[in-house]
Amino acid sequence: MLNMGYMQFSFLLIFWLYLFSFSSSIPHLCRKDERISLIKLKKSFTLNSSASANYCINAYPKMSSWKMSRDCCSWDGVICDEMTGHVIELHLSCSNLVGTIDSNSSLFQFCHLQSLDLSGNNFCRCPISPEFGRFSNLTYLDLSWSDFSGQIPSEISYLSKLQSLSIATHSDGTKLRLGPHNFKLLLQNLTYLRELDLSFVNIPSSIPLNFSSHLTILSLAYTGLHGIIPESIFNLPVLEILYLGGNQLQGHVPKSIRNLVNLTWLDLSFNNFSGHVDVSLFSDLERLYYLSLSYNCISLTNEKEVKSILPESLTNLLLAACEVKELEFLRSAKQLQELDLSNNKIQGRIPDWAWSNWNFRLSTLNLSHNMLTSVDTIPLQSGYIIDLRSNFLQGSLPIPPDTTKYFFISHNNLSKEIPPSICNLTSLVMLDLGRNKLKGAIPQCLGNINCLQVLDMQHNSLTGTLPMTFRTGSSLRSLNLHGNKLEGKIPLSLANCTGLEVLDLGDNHLIDTFPVWLGTLPKLQVLSLRSNEFHGSIQPSMIETIFPELRIIDLSYNAFSGNLPTSLFQHLKAMKTIDPSKKAPSDEEAGYYQDSVVVVTKRLELEVERILFLYTTIDLSNNRFEAHIPSVLGDLIALRVLNLSHNGLQGHIPSSLGNLSVVESLDFSFNLLSGEIPEQLASLTSLEFLNLSHNHLRGCIPQGRQFATFENNSYKGNDGLRGFPVSKGCEISGMPETDNTTHVLDEESSSTFLGDFIQGILMGYGTGLIIGFSIAYFILTSRNPNWLSRIYEELERRVYMRRQKKQRGHQMHYRRRNN
């Protein structure tokens, strides 16, 4: 019986323990107060799919699953403690959140939080609240790439349990700031840190001496740090990633770097390090796979003359601008996938052993800006980016592997024809063959590569016609064939390239009328047809909307005629607004290739890069346009350059041009313009260049801040103009300007008087020069002396028109001769 009772007791005890363990394993439901706080947090934001940062790959609105009908511990991004039900983790990265987090946010009611990730959202440049310092249990905090701004509060250094802290920000100038004292305090207090990323935070400081000995990741790139790297960094026993690029650090690259035996990633690029760096310094770092020393003031040496001096583990090696002269030190680096040796002094040809080492794995090769003279083949099996720009390469165009997406070989001396095998590169995204001496025809098959976005063959000696077939669905974004000898017309199939932004066909021998049908391309921003043989008038379009995004149009040095295209100007929507938020792209945004176009401004030819889509230009100079300047040009308030020179334009300068508040250059020279210079032009405070010379302008020159900077050359050939800088005042010899009635009467007698005056001069040839001028003087004293200036103007106009006609004849003769 005793045994039976003991067995029953044991059974009950086991059963009770089982029930207890089972009940304890059941997770608690979300606490009601915290569920309400989460809903308040959700309501404080809006969800916008464009809000997440560029680095977000799989952004989605996690809060869309937050509904009161469900237990909040099952909501996306919410993790609760299984025992207490408290919310202990919030993972809201890349959640499309838009809004602000101030000190009253319900976020700060979750005092049990251990992990908080708000990265990749848009918090509208609000400051980081000091209330973040209340999360005393936090071990993980990520606020990176979420558009915070202002000073990082010192309260962050109160989070003494933190093991991972990331407040990396954008590189667009709206940086977060961290003062030297708070930076030092943060590193001193956070002694358990394993990961620290403050990239792009503005830290005007040297690097403090004290760090957590647990650090595995230290990223302080592009923070403005200066001074030398303290030795304490190179004594961190478990450091794996050290990213200090883009600062103002100086001194020598310390030899103690070899102490970091666990290092896998080292980036010291874009600093001011100096002296010689022996490549054997890195030979003991057997785990190192990424090394970048680019753009310092160092020179790479191999003092020990050992061939196997780089760790075999290296996959990414970036040594741009490091005074590299030979490749021998790379013999041991057989696992390379990315190699950047640009801006060095490598001469001759690439040795065969190097191609052999790189054959199977290398996908990104940058040897641009060296002194290579020969690359016959590119024997790589997995090429992705091949950059051979700005060398001295001669002979035939080498063809990269079929897998290549980006191929750059511009600014060389390649002189043969483009082989048709270039069309085997069906994965090409960008092809830049510009500024060589390539000749022959453009392979027509290039128009069939659907993924091709950039085709640049500018400044070669290519002949024949443009590629005639561009497929529907073409990805072409930029087509630059400027400065060749191409003939024929613009192919209508270009209308299939609906993503085209830049079209530069300038300086060729194209013969066509104005391709108004290009106006259907919704994204076209740059159109240059300068220095061709386009002709005829620019007819109004029957299409309701044309050229909505056009910002640069250059039709100069052609034979366009008729009136200026008023209807075209009316459609240029992008030129009618000024967007102050628009700015030049950063290096990251610009990518591998930057569009460029030649524009004439202030009498100078400039190659505009980077700010291409900020530079708004109309150049219709050196054509045969007639009639008046349309006042609608004054609606194009974003214009920076307007050039209508060397035409046959008549009438007045419209006063509406005073609306061009950002215009920098106006050139109306060598036309037949008359009347006065509008006073409204004096309000153009951005105007740096003005050329109104060789017209029939008269009256007072307006006075203003910018007009005070213009010299006589801006007005020469307009003898009716008065005032600074042409004369001291607006009256000549004390005689006031004639009124309109006198002017009309004078014009009625102009023909008779001009004949009498010239006849008087001609009489001098028969009776002596003095007698002839005496007769002319008698005529002048018996008439209105104001006619003297009018006579001069008329004679000058006739001389100018004859010169212009002769000049155009010479230009056409020159082109025919060169054809």
Side-chain angles (χ1 to χ4, degrees):
M1 291 292 293
L2 183 62
N3 289 337
M4 180 64 71
Y6 176 76
M7 290 177 61
Q8 289 177 342
F9 174 77
S10 299
F11 176 77
L12 289 173
L13 180 62
I14 294 171
F15 181 70
W16 180 81
L17 290 172
Y18 171 77
L19 288 177
F20 177 79
S21 63
F22 178 77
S23 64
S24 65
S25 66
I26 298 175
H28 282 18
L29 295 177
C30 174
R31 299 174 67 92
K32 181 179 179 181
D33 58 333
E34 294 191 351
R35 181 169 63 246
I36 294 172
S37 295
L38 287 172
I39 292 299
K40 285 183 179 179
L41 183 64
K42 175 183 177 180
K43 290 181 178 179
S44 68
F45 299 116
T46 57
L47 303 181
N48 189 329
S49 58
S50 63
S52 293
N54 292 333
Y55 85 98
C56 293
I57 299 175
N58 297 315
Y60 74 97
K62 297 181 179 66
M63 284 188 176
S64 61
S65 71
W66 292 14
K67 298 177 181 178
M68 290 293 286
S69 59
R70 295 175 54 196
D71 176 29
C72 73
C73 293
S74 66
W75 293 351
D76 283 355
V78 179
I79 296 178
C80 300
D81 186 289
E82 292 184 354
M83 297 295 294
T84 64
H86 286 299
V87 175
I88 58 172
E89 296 184 22
L90 282 177
H91 299 285
L92 299 176
S93 64
C94 301
S95 296
N96 301 338
L97 302 180
V98 179
T100 60
I101 301 176
D102 58 26
S103 298
N104 297 318
S105 172
S106 61
L107 173 67
F108 302 116
Q109 295 176 11
F110 299 97
C111 57
H112 296 87
L113 274 182
Q114 299 173 20
S115 179
L116 177 59
D117 188 349
L118 298 175
S119 61
N121 291 290
N122 182 1
F123 296 127
C124 304
R125 301 186 181 181
C126 74
I128 297 175
S129 172
E131 296 296 311
F132 278 97
R134 294 173 53 185
F135 295 129
S136 58
N137 294 310
L138 270 187
T139 61
Y140 181 94
L141 178 61
D142 192 345
L143 304 179
S144 58
W145 315 109
S146 284
D147 212 16
F148 285 108
S149 67
Q151 192 78 23
I152 295 176
S154 60
E155 285 79 0
I156 295 294
S157 63
Y158 299 169
L159 306 176
S160 58
K161 294 182 180 180
L162 270 183
Q163 297 180 23
S164 178
L165 174 62
S166 178
I167 317 182
T169 185
H170 299 283
S171 58
D172 61 357
T174 59
K175 291 184 177 181
L176 284 162
R177 300 185 300 277
L178 181 60
H181 175 72
N182 287 348
F183 182 39
K184 183 178 181 180
L185 196 65
L186 185 144
L187 294 176
Q188 283 180 346
N189 292 353
L190 305 184
T191 57
Y192 292 100
L193 270 182
R194 295 181 179 274
E195 301 172 356
L196 177 61
D197 186 358
L198 299 176
S199 300
F200 296 102
V201 174
N202 185 14
I203 310 176
S205 170
S206 57
I207 301 178
L209 300 177
N210 298 319
F211 288 88
S212 164
S213 60
H214 304 288
L215 274 175
T216 60
I217 297 175
L218 179 58
S219 179
L220 300 173
Y222 295 91
T223 55
L225 291 171
H226 55 264
I228 63 173
I229 304 177
E231 282 291 323
S232 55
I233 285 185
F234 303 108
N235 293 320
L236 297 174
V238 291
L239 192 63
E240 297 178 7
I241 295 176
L242 180 59
Y243 188 10
L244 300 176
N247 286 295
Q248 301 166 32
L249 300 171
Q250 56 192 22
H252 296 280
V253 176
K255 294 183 178 180
S256 54
I257 205 168
R258 54 166 52 102
N259 296 337
L260 301 175
V261 293
N262 290 303
L263 207 61
T264 60
W265 180 296
L266 175 62
D267 191 334
L268 303 178
S269 61
F270 293 96
N271 276 286
N272 297 321
F273 294 112
S274 58
H276 299 288
V277 177
D278 187 356
V279 288
S280 64
L281 183 64
F282 309 101
S283 59
D284 295 332
L285 305 180
E286 296 180 353
R287 299 182 59 193
L288 190 68
Y289 69 84
Y290 184 99
L291 173 61
S292 178
L293 303 175
S294 297
Y295 297 102
N296 280 282
C297 302
I298 63 175
S299 58
L300 217 60
T301 61
N302 180 13
E303 296 175 1
K304 297 182 180 180
E305 297 184 357
V306 180
K307 293 183 178 180
S308 299
I309 50 180
L310 285 176
E312 294 185 7
S313 56
L314 270 179
T315 58
N316 303 74
L317 180 60
L318 292 81
L319 300 174
C322 287
E323 297 286 329
V324 176
K325 298 178 181 179
E326 49 84 26
L327 303 179
E328 194 65 31
F329 69 98
L330 292 175
R331 279 190 179 269
S332 61
K334 297 182 179 181
Q335 308 296 322
L336 287 177
Q337 299 174 16
E338 178 185 13
L339 177 62
D340 185 354
L341 296 176
S342 60
N343 291 277
N344 281 294
K345 299 180 179 180
I346 305 170
Q347 303 182 26
R349 57 187 297 273
I350 299 172
D352 293 339
W353 65 260
W355 288 120
S356 179
N357 279 2
W358 303 338
N359 186 15
F360 295 102
R361 294 179 177 83
L362 194 68
S363 59
T364 300
L365 175 63
N366 189 347
L367 294 173
S368 64
H369 298 88
N370 277 284
M371 294 180 280
L372 296 171
T373 56
S374 175
V375 176
D376 298 327
T377 60
I378 304 176
L380 300 177
Q381 294 194 13
S382 58
Y384 182 79
I385 302 171
I386 310 295
D387 192 344
L388 300 172
R389 284 177 283 197
S390 298
N391 279 279
F392 302 126
L393 300 177
Q394 302 177 2
S396 301
L397 174 68
I399 303 299
D402 295 352
T403 57
T404 304
K405 289 183 177 290
Y406 303 88
F407 184 35
F408 308 104
I409 197 168
S410 62
H411 295 82
N412 280 285
N413 295 316
L414 302 173
S415 57
K416 302 294 180 67
E417 295 187 0
I418 302 173
S421 57
I422 192 75
C423 295
N424 294 335
L425 308 182
T426 55
S427 298
L428 266 181
V429 174
M430 295 185 181
L431 177 61
D432 183 2
L433 310 180
R435 299 183 187 279
N436 279 282
K437 299 176 182 177
L438 296 168
K439 57 187 179 182
I442 299 174
Q444 294 289 316
C445 52
L446 284 174
N448 297 328
I449 302 179
N450 272 356
C451 55
L452 188 63
Q453 295 180 13
V454 173
L455 178 58
D456 189 342
M457 297 183 174
Q458 62 177 303
H459 295 287
N460 280 284
S461 297
L462 299 171
T463 55
T465 62
L466 277 66
M468 300 305 293
T469 304
F470 291 91
R471 289 183 177 179
T472 302
S474 169
S475 302
L476 198 63
R477 178 183 63 78
S478 178
L479 177 60
N480 194 336
L481 302 175
H482 187 108
N484 283 284
K485 301 176 182 178
L486 300 172
E487 301 174 338
K489 298 184 176 183
I490 300 177
L492 294 174
S493 62
L494 264 180
N496 294 329
C497 305
T498 55
L500 194 64
E501 298 177 2
V502 177
L503 178 60
D504 190 346
L505 304 176
D507 199 10
N508 279 285
H509 304 309
L510 302 175
I511 303 176
D512 204 346
T513 56
F514 181 72
V516 69
W517 50 270
L518 286 174
T520 62
L521 298 176
K523 297 182 179 180
L524 190 64
Q525 300 184 44
V526 177
L527 174 62
S528 178
L529 305 177
R530 71 192 313 262
S531 298
N532 278 283
E533 297 177 34
F534 287 91
H535 55 86
S537 61
I538 299 178
Q539 298 296 326
S541 173
M542 303 301 292
I543 304 171
E544 184 176 351
T545 301
I546 59 172
F547 298 112
E549 294 297 323
L550 200 63
R551 288 176 170 81
I552 294 179
I553 179 169
D554 189 348
L555 307 181
S556 61
Y557 291 95
N558 280 286
F560 289 112
S561 57
N563 296 346
L564 287 175
T566 302
S567 62
L568 173 61
F569 299 147
Q570 290 172 335
H571 281 90
L572 300 179
K573 182 179 177 181
M575 296 189 187
K576 294 181 180 181
T577 57
I578 300 174
D579 183 0
S581 65
K582 203 171 183 64
K583 56 189 176 183
S586 65
D587 290 334
E588 293 179 359
E589 293 169 326
Y592 304 113
Y593 176 87
Q594 294 183 11
D595 291 299
S596 65
V597 67
V598 173
V599 299
V600 176
T601 175
K602 308 167 191 174
R603 286 186 174 174
L604 299 174
E605 280 196 0
L606 301 178
E607 186 169 2
V608 178
E609 293 181 346
R610 206 175 187 91
I611 61 169
L612 192 59
F613 302 140
L614 303 180
Y615 209 79
T616 308
T617 302
I618 293 178
D619 191 344
L620 305 182
S621 62
N622 291 275
N623 280 283
R624 300 175 186 173
F625 289 113
E626 301 171 344
H628 67 284
I629 299 175
S631 60
V632 71
L633 278 172
D635 296 336
L636 308 181
I637 59 173
L639 268 179
R640 294 185 180 273
V641 176
L642 177 59
N643 191 347
L644 303 177
S645 65
H646 295 85
N647 281 285
L649 300 174
Q650 303 175 14
H652 292 68
I653 298 173
S655 60
S656 62
L657 297 185
N659 298 329
L660 306 181
S661 58
V662 297
V663 72
E664 300 172 8
S665 176
L666 285 176
D667 193 344
F668 300 155
S669 61
F670 291 94
N671 279 286
L672 306 174
L673 299 173
S674 58
E676 299 183 351
I677 301 173
E679 287 286 344
Q680 290 83 352
L681 297 190
S683 66
L684 300 178
T685 55
S686 297
L687 191 63
E688 298 178 8
F689 176 84
L690 177 68
N691 191 353
L692 303 177
S693 63
H694 301 287
N695 281 285
H696 302 308
L697 299 172
R698 52 189 292 274
C700 293
I701 297 172
Q703 297 302 306
R705 187 173 68 179
Q706 294 305 111
F707 270 72
T709 65
F710 303 137
E711 300 179 353
N712 284 355
N713 289 341
S714 295
Y715 309 105
K716 67 180 180 181
N718 292 280
D719 287 342
L721 286 176
R722 302 187 299 281
F724 180 84
V726 173
S727 62
K728 292 184 179 180
C730 283
E731 293 182 2
I732 300 177
S733 301
M735 182 165 292
E737 182 183 357
T738 57
D739 59 21
N740 291 336
T741 304
T742 307
H743 177 62
V744 172
L745 292 173
D746 285 343
E747 280 193 344
E748 291 177 356
S749 60
S750 62
S751 177
T752 304
F753 179 67
L754 182 61
D756 291 345
F757 179 77
I758 294 175
Q759 185 177 3
I761 295 295
L762 293 177
M763 288 174 64
Y765 287 105
T767 60
L769 186 61
I770 296 177
I771 297 176
F773 272 106
S774 299
I775 296 172
Y777 172 76
F778 175 78
I779 296 172
L780 284 173
T781 55
S782 64
R783 302 272 185 159
N784 188 342
N786 281 345
W787 270 106
L788 183 59
S789 62
R790 302 186 191 282
I791 294 165
Y792 182 82
E793 288 181 14
E794 179 64 21
L795 290 174
E796 184 187 39
R797 187 185 73 83
R798 294 182 183 182
V799 171
Y800 162 68
M801 293 299 290
R802 289 180 182 177
R803 286 179 179 173
Q804 189 180 44
K805 185 175 181 180
K806 186 178 294 186
Q807 183 181 20
R808 285 178 177 153
H810 284 315
Q811 288 177 349
M812 295 300 292
H813 175 71
Y814 175 79
R815 285 182 175 171
R816 292 193 190 99
R817 186 182 63 188
N818 283 278
N819 286 339

